[in-house]
Amino acid sequence: MKLQLDRPDGLNTFTAYGEGYVSVNGIRHSCNLAVLPERLIPDWTQATFDTLRVEDFAWLASLDAEIILLGTGNRLRFPTPDLMRPLVQAQKGLEVMDLPAACRTYNVLIGEGRKVAAGLLLA
């Protein structure tokens, strides 16, 4: 699905998503991806949802964001509480959603000027 949204002030926005990919600023990505308004990190983890580790969440907690969106692929899946501990300790909000919802929510939040990051599992 293509998203029609003006890019606020040249920041990273999702412009499309589909089975196994997302597009950021018109560039297609098919690997796990972390997206912040001014930064793009391909392969932020090599994990699938089933192989996520505490270290993956600690890395997300280290990002300069107040809200972390975790896109879990085509379906919504919730990580276990022990995996989320680094985010709780860092006092970061975590919203877990499927990939399309994470893309749409991210775009809305950066449009509002929020400090947000999206960690997307595409693999």
Side-chain angles (χ1 to χ4, degrees):
M1 167 182 267
K2 286 191 177 186
L3 299 173
Q4 300 300 323
L5 179 71
D6 292 330
R7 280 181 48 194
D9 301 323
L11 301 177
N12 289 324
T13 57
F14 291 101
T15 51
Y17 56 81
E19 183 68 36
Y21 80 93
V22 296
S23 291
V24 178
N25 302 337
I27 299 171
R28 188 175 172 133
H29 300 272
S30 58
C31 62
N32 291 343
L33 187 67
V35 181
L36 291 93
E38 298 173 346
R39 198 168 148 208
L40 194 67
I41 304 120
D43 292 319
W44 70 275
T45 180
Q46 296 297 315
T48 64
F49 181 83
D50 293 325
T51 61
L52 282 169
R53 301 174 310 145
V54 170
E55 292 81 7
D56 296 316
F57 286 85
W59 187 87
L60 289 172
S62 74
L63 297 174
D64 184 27
E66 298 167 346
I67 302 167
I68 308 293
L69 305 176
L70 178 64
T72 60
N74 291 331
R75 66 185 176 111
L76 176 61
R77 301 172 71 184
F78 289 96
T80 60
D82 60 308
L83 289 176
M84 297 184 287
R85 188 168 293 122
L87 292 163
V88 172
Q89 291 171 339
Q91 298 182 345
K92 305 269 178 130
L94 175 68
E95 295 292 333
V96 181
M97 50 194 71
D98 65 22
L99 188 69
C103 293
R104 293 188 306 265
T105 302
Y106 171 91
N107 282 355
V108 168
L109 291 173
I110 65 160
E112 294 175 352
R114 304 288 300 272
K115 291 180 80 172
V116 62
L120 306 178
L121 297 172
L122 296 165

